[in-house]
Amino acid sequence: GNVSFSCLEPQVVPITFLSYSSYLALPGPPGQDEVFVSFQFRTWNEEGLLLSSKLHQSSGGFLLYLSDGRVKINLHKMGRVLSDIAAGAGLNNGQWHSVSLSVKRSRLSVRVDNDVTSFAHASIPLQIYSGDIFYFGGCPSSGNISECNTSFGGFQGCMRLISIGNKVVDMISVQQNGFGNFSDLQIDLCGITDRCLPNYCEHGGECSQSWNSFHCNCANTGYKGATCHYPIYEQSCEAYKHKGNNSGFYNIDSDGSGPLGPFLVYCNMTDATWTIIQHNSTNLTRVKSANRENPHTVFFKYSASLDQLQATINLADHCEQELAYYCKKSRFLDKSDGMPLSWWIGRTNETHTYWGGSLPAVQKCACGLEGSCIDSQHYCNCDADRDEWTNDTGFLSYKDHLPVTEIVITDTDRPNSEAAYKLGPLLCRGDRTFWNSASFNTETSYLHFPTFHGELSADVSFFFKTTASSGVFLENLGIQDFIRIELHSPSEVIFSFDVGNGPSEVIVKSPNSLNDNQWHYVKAERNVKEASLQIDQLPQRAHSAPPDGHIRLQLNSQLFVGGTASRQKGFLGCIRSLQLNGMALDLEERAKITPGVEPGCPGHCSSYGNLCHNGGKCREKYSGFSCDCTFSAYAGPFCKKGKHISAYFWTGTSVTYNFQEYYTLATNSSSHASSFYADMTLTRETITFAFRTTRTPSLLLYVNSFYKEYLSVILTRNGDLQIRYKLDSHQDPDVFTISFKSMANGQLQHVKINREEEMLFVEVNQNERMKFILSSGTEFNAIKSLTLGKILENSDVDEETMKANSQGFIGCLSSVQFNHIAPLKAALHHSSSAPVIVKGRFTESNCGILTGADSTSSETTHSFADHSGPIDEGKPLANAIRSDSAIIGGVIAVVIFILLCITAIAIRIYKKKGIYSKNEAKGSENEDSAESALKSELSMQNTANENQKEYFF
């Protein structure tokens, strides 16, 4: 029959609106009481005009437009909106969407994607008649067409299948100027660009786009920047510490802007910074009935992936993990065939048979290395195969094998055979890249490293310090492309680059000089969207990437650090912690073999000394610094942690702290804190201490000067607190008495004294602060020393102070601090190095924290011990017992004592057996009790051994 071997499909001709000025004008049937228009569109923009038309013989019209990704229709007349309805959502997703508009008599409706849920309609108080022209996407720029004057601009995107009055528009005829007119259209092609494919948002950032750009949503990724490239978390606990952070939980990103994400760790900020990473099995686990055919195997899952752990371990100076292994007739090694019976597996999935405290490739335990195993024929205590508990415990510290991921045990199926193990968290110390540095000594010297070639993004971060006015930090060249970061002037850094479309620059100017020999931070990044530069904490400067540049960097030369390939404009100074795309460059290793460059940079305290608080001294280290809290009342890595140090003072005890020696010491150490006593004159001081005593009158604290000025704090005979300031040697002292109930009641009393010139503030036991005015002066000139307890040297003080000094102070003094000086801490912990002199009996005590009954008993004990001579020397008895009767009585007493001891030992063994039985039952029911049960059994085993020895003796 009549067969045609083809399928005639309707021709679909899309059009592209290239700019906000693009439009398509099509004629329509004027004066019709029914309007029907439909079309499909595709766009990435949230806003844009889709369709507009003027009503027939009316000063009104309608607008069909996109707003916030929804289709809205606005019907207006004479400036008044008659109807405003919306349909659909998220229509700017780059997909094709259909829209149909229907106006019939006084009813208006719009439908999106033929979806009944995306349908909207409204009734209007007006008879509508169609106009003669429909404008799609915009309007002509010439003329005054009020229907197109919108705030959201024209449409950018594509349209197709346009119908007016159920008649499809022939776009080829439009293209040939046979129908309608248009401007800045691309016909027969949808020229929209999918800017999120490929997705240039890194680290899981969500990409969204408009017509000519894309945007990355970096929320909850742990990264920031135009492409979510740069990490918001520090790379290590060491970095957090040197920002002044205290111990706590922190997210770290071990590879910086690399592919690995951040994870949570605990940072223990001590003198050495420890990173603590936990796993899922921290309890002591007991093992029975395991053999080679049915081994006991445990897998450890950490709070980070193995790749994240490896990056953290590689970054650290040292890592370790404690493995405690208890055994009873359970061996590590079968000597008959030389095969291991228990082993552990590390990060690289390799089997290891060395144990805690030992070294790799040595099938031994710690006791085997030390020669201290319980059986000298074996290299591990467990291999002695004894029918009693022993252990091989220690730290595994070979970084390439850590962390432990699996333990396998196969020798607990013999009678009375058992093992138990406990694996500690992964502990890593330090950051070997944070202080990695090099000193550039000539303008022609440089270090070179592999290039950025082929990278999508390039980020560089480093610290520098210099006294030079200019110099190139680093440079990377290609055939056309280049990247350069340089100090252009003492206060200006320039990041310049060319990615194939001409050179560009980002400039940051600092309000302060950058060549002040202090450490300054630089971070530069170039990606497909922008280039940015940040110096220290100054606001980041960013420039949008020029169009038509290379997506990936085309840099094929070496990366030059500290200079340029031409050996001109080299950098003089220090660079440290240089990282490229999260990868640390080892400046020190390369500097060792490069003339004109030296590994390491001294002088960290000049930049980080302000992190040492409360009089702590910054001490230089090869890699970094530490805070010496010797002369501070505080402890911790930054001398910020309060430490309660208490001491008991006896009759005649005297502790004298000499400020003159402190001043000399501080000056010699060139410490910033030395300026506190630079002229040895004070206009203000803060004094805090706590005390406990029952003796009055008492001298609590005394500060004197070379000019016979002094401050004394005493307890009067009736127990009042009295502060006596004499700041003018020619006047009587100012005396301020605080009268509460007696403060010599044996309870702990807290005192805080703060003077600011003539204003004196006193606070007792955290009650309301009292205010006093000094009249004797405002300057405490040439302070000499501070004395706690009894004043031993001749001092020109008033009569009341002398009375209080007659017995000095007997009792407890705690947490004494004079400005940043802690005399008790110096006397008790640093007496050999601190300028302190101690006379008489003086002992550290916890008397400053005891309360209630404990404090009373402690005070009573000290009171009895204070008496001179024996408590009771005794008197002869009236009727003396004969010496032989005394000997017989003594023998009987010894026999009775021995019998009582034997009875007590028997009861103890019985109780221990009972405790062990109970704990053993609990251990089978609850894993948490396994450790206590094992400890109980070990205790019983040790007790039995001790009792056997005692019985033999």
Side-chain angles (χ1 to χ4, degrees), residues 31-108:
Q32 300 290 320
D33 64 352
E34 183 176 357
V35 178
F36 182 80
V37 180
S38 67
F39 58 91
Q40 292 183 0
F41 73 92
R42 178 186 177 205
T43 186
W44 293 108
N45 291 5
E46 291 185 338
E47 297 181 340
L49 178 63
L50 297 172
L51 172 65
S52 66
S53 181
K54 184 178 180 181
L55 299 179
H56 183 65
Q57 295 180 349
S58 172
S59 59
F62 69 85
L63 301 173
L64 185 70
Y65 60 98
L66 271 179
S67 178
D68 295 327
R70 306 188 71 195
V71 169
K72 294 186 177 182
I73 186 167
N74 177 289
L75 182 66
H76 59 276
K77 183 178 182 180
M78 299 182 67
R80 185 167 62 94
V81 176
L82 302 179
S83 178
D84 193 356
I85 60 176
L91 303 178
N92 60 320
N93 59 0
Q95 304 298 315
W96 285 106
H97 297 281
S98 64
V99 179
S100 58
L101 169 67
S102 176
V103 183
K104 189 173 184 181
R105 298 183 181 89
S106 61
R107 183 177 175 83
L108 177 69

Side-chain angles (χ1 to χ4, degrees), residues 54 271 660 897:
K54 184 178 180 181
D271 289 339
Q660 173 64 45
F897 176 76

Side-chain angles (χ1 to χ4, degrees), residues 125-147:
L126 177 70
Q127 183 70 31
I128 297 177
Y129 296 96
S130 62
D132 56 352
I133 299 179
F134 292 93
Y135 293 97
F136 291 86
C139 294
S141 57
S142 60
N144 182 19
I145 304 176
S146 60
E147 287 73 21

Side-chain angles (χ1 to χ4, degrees), residues 127-128 154 156 158 170 194 199 237 416 455 494 501 513 536 572 654 725 777 814 826 838 861 884:
Q127 183 70 31
I128 297 177
Q156 285 184 300
C158 300
D170 184 359
D194 191 342
N199 184 0
C237 289
N416 206 29
E455 297 287 346
I494 297 180
N501 48 11
S513 295
D536 294 331
L572 290 173
S654 176
Y725 261 105
S814 175
V838 178
T861 302
D884 55 346

